[in-house]
Amino acid sequence: MKKCSLIFFVLLISSKPVVAQHTEEKLPIVFVHGFLGSGDTYATQFQRFMANGYLPSQLYVFDWNSVGAKNNTINLLDSFINKVLANTGANRVNLVGHSAGGGVGYGYLNDAARALKVANYVHIGSSKQTKPAGNNGQINTLNIYSLGDKVVKAGDIPGALNMQQKESDHYEVATSEASFWDIFHFFNPTITNQKQVKIKKQPIIAGKACLMGENTALANAVVEVYGINLNKGARMDSNPIMQFKTDEQGNWGPFKAQAAVAYEFVLKPAGGQRTVHYFHEPFTSDDPLVYLRALPKTGMTALLLNTLPSNDQQSVLAIFSSNRAVIAGRDSLTIDGLNLASETISPASKTAIAHFIFENGDGNSTGNLIPTFKSIPFMNGIDFLLDSNDTKPVHIFYNGKHYNLPKIKSASEGIMVLVLK
């Protein structure tokens, strides 16, 4: 992440002068994601922090393998924090953990030597604890949780600053504006001015390529960038406007985007994983956390996603809601008229942020849930045929917005992912 952050920072300051008020008072922040998550959980929060005086070089995400049976997460986080301290010259960091990342945060701070490296800790949508973080409960702790969270049974932590939300879902509690201001003022109690993210004509975009779930960095992957017309469901040009090769940490970019243009990012991994096409709405502000995930060949995630067909007679589409879950009764989501926000498919208890749409091989496109996905949190599989020989774009309707995507042959061309804000 270091190389990408530095390049992003250089391009950012070369495009527009940065007003760095109070930056000498701001400790670097390290964010830790939850189960099946990645650093882009915090993409919107990064934008808000940067709008309120933080530099990209003061914001870091720690990617960890949340699906690994055996891993060394605490030691890896310690090494990561040591690098952040060395890079920034700070003597401590502020730490944020969401969901399973909250367990990582508490585990990390339950050691006196490690706790000395952290000034403040934020526990978001994570398990209830008996005391603030730290081996003796000595770390200043903010606990944010929601009554609308159907995944984690959180609650007040004695001795912590507790902020209860009423309706945010398990994912939304980490991404919401309300959570941002709670975190920002917790870290910066003397700063009272509040700035909203402003729309930029040429936002600077960069990101990382990794394996889904495991977050293993993908080195030497090719990333092609196309302009895409989401009304017509067609590329604006047959040739990519940008092309990158990822570095050893999986970093790619940056480039200057156009605020009114939607983009298609084509990830071509060097390790033989399937090509994935990511479709993004227009970017309106700088985003250094555009993650492109490939499907792993082995491991728990692979056992589930290996069921995705590789068949040029059909397209495979995943719809990823990046800031909150799709919940029946609250949200609307349809694909070619099929309701994905029904109580059967997207109940609040499922907290579905990813819907995989494909025909499961029995030749009967039912529109029902695919059984292998039923017990998996956050993800749905829907048995629905997207005929790749039909030139008509696939139509998605989400909370008042319409999107059209070109159908892509799943074997020879790859898998499609629509990223919704």
Side-chain angles (χ1 to χ4, degrees), residues 27 142 171 205 231 254 259 415-416:
L27 293 177
L142 169 63
Y171 200 71
I205 307 304
N231 292 320
I415 294 170
M416 307 157 59

Side-chain angles (χ1 to χ4, degrees), residues 58-136:
Q58 295 172 310
L59 303 170
Y60 297 85
V61 291
F62 172 66
D63 285 313
W64 60 289
N65 181 359
S66 64
V67 299
K70 295 181 180 179
N71 53 49
N72 197 25
T73 303
I74 299 297
N75 289 334
L76 291 173
L77 176 58
D78 193 41
S79 296
F80 186 85
I81 289 176
N82 287 340
K83 290 178 182 178
V84 171
L85 295 175
N87 291 344
T88 61
N91 60 359
R92 290 186 298 175
V93 302
N94 286 325
L95 185 63
V96 178
H98 171 237
S99 191
V104 172
Y106 259 81
Y108 178 81
L109 293 168
N110 196 33
D111 173 89
R114 294 193 297 257
L116 291 174
K117 303 174 187 179
V118 176
N120 304 284
Y121 172 65
V122 180
H123 197 64
I124 309 177
S126 194
S127 55
K128 186 176 179 180
Q129 303 290 330
T130 59
K131 61 179 177 59
N135 56 306
N136 291 315

Side-chain angles (χ1 to χ4, degrees), residues 6-278:
L6 290 174
I7 295 173
F8 182 87
F9 179 54
V10 169
L11 185 51
L12 183 65
I13 62 175
S14 67
S15 64
K16 183 177 181 179
V18 173
V19 179
Q21 295 178 338
H22 306 293
T23 52
E24 71 279 5
E25 301 173 6
K26 294 183 173 69
L27 293 177
I29 307 174
V30 174
F31 297 84
V32 184
H33 62 78
F35 178 64
L36 286 176
S38 297
D40 58 347
T41 296
Y42 300 103
T44 304
Q45 305 297 31
F46 263 48
Q47 293 168 345
R48 292 174 178 136
F49 273 104
M50 289 188 291
N52 285 272
Y54 278 77
L55 303 177
S57 56
Q58 295 172 310
L59 303 170
Y60 297 85
V61 291
F62 172 66
D63 285 313
W64 60 289
N65 181 359
S66 64
V67 299
K70 295 181 180 179
N71 53 49
N72 197 25
T73 303
I74 299 297
N75 289 334
L76 291 173
L77 176 58
D78 193 41
S79 296
F80 186 85
I81 289 176
N82 287 340
K83 290 178 182 178
V84 171
L85 295 175
N87 291 344
T88 61
N91 60 359
R92 290 186 298 175
V93 302
N94 286 325
L95 185 63
V96 178
H98 171 237
S99 191
V104 172
Y106 259 81
Y108 178 81
L109 293 168
N110 196 33
D111 173 89
R114 294 193 297 257
L116 291 174
K117 303 174 187 179
V118 176
N120 304 284
Y121 172 65
V122 180
H123 197 64
I124 309 177
S126 194
S127 55
K128 186 176 179 180
Q129 303 290 330
T130 59
K131 61 179 177 59
N135 56 306
N136 291 315
Q138 73 273 30
I139 302 297
N140 195 26
T141 299
L142 169 63
N143 175 40
I144 305 175
Y145 67 97
S146 174
L147 299 179
D149 185 342
K150 304 303 181 183
V151 175
V152 171
K153 292 183 179 180
D156 284 356
I157 296 175
L161 175 60
N162 296 290
M163 302 299 293
Q164 182 194 88
Q165 297 179 10
K166 301 297 184 183
E167 298 179 354
S168 295
D169 64 56
H170 179 69
Y171 200 71
E172 188 179 17
V173 74
T175 64
S176 71
E177 185 175 5
S179 294
F180 166 74
W181 289 119
D182 287 339
I183 298 168
F184 180 82
H185 291 305
F186 180 68
F187 290 158
N188 304 279
T190 64
I191 300 178
T192 57
N193 61 312
Q194 297 184 355
K195 297 180 180 179
Q196 299 297 319
V197 178
K198 293 183 178 180
I199 295 175
K200 293 186 67 174
K201 292 182 179 180
Q202 289 189 309
I204 300 168
I205 307 304
K208 180 178 179 180
C210 61
L211 292 178
M212 182 180 293
E214 300 174 9
N215 290 312
T216 304
L218 293 177
N220 299 313
V222 173
V223 176
E224 297 175 348
V225 184
Y226 297 84
I228 183 80
N229 187 322
L230 293 178
N231 292 320
K232 297 181 178 179
R235 288 176 179 172
M236 299 170 67
D237 195 288
S238 59
N239 297 315
I241 59 174
M242 299 290 294
Q243 182 169 301
F244 303 98
K245 180 171 284 190
T246 60
D247 65 15
E248 290 301 312
Q249 288 75 46
N251 299 314
W252 61 267
F255 76 99
K256 291 182 179 179
Q258 300 298 320
V261 175
Y263 288 94
E264 175 189 356
F265 300 90
V266 183
L267 173 64
K268 299 180 177 180
Q273 294 87 2
R274 299 174 70 175
T275 297
V276 187
H277 300 246
Y278 281 86

Side-chain angles (χ1 to χ4, degrees), residues 7 34 38 62 271 299 302 314 364 368 381 404:
I7 295 173
S38 297
F62 172 66
Q314 69 167 298
N364 186 18
N368 296 329
N404 289 291

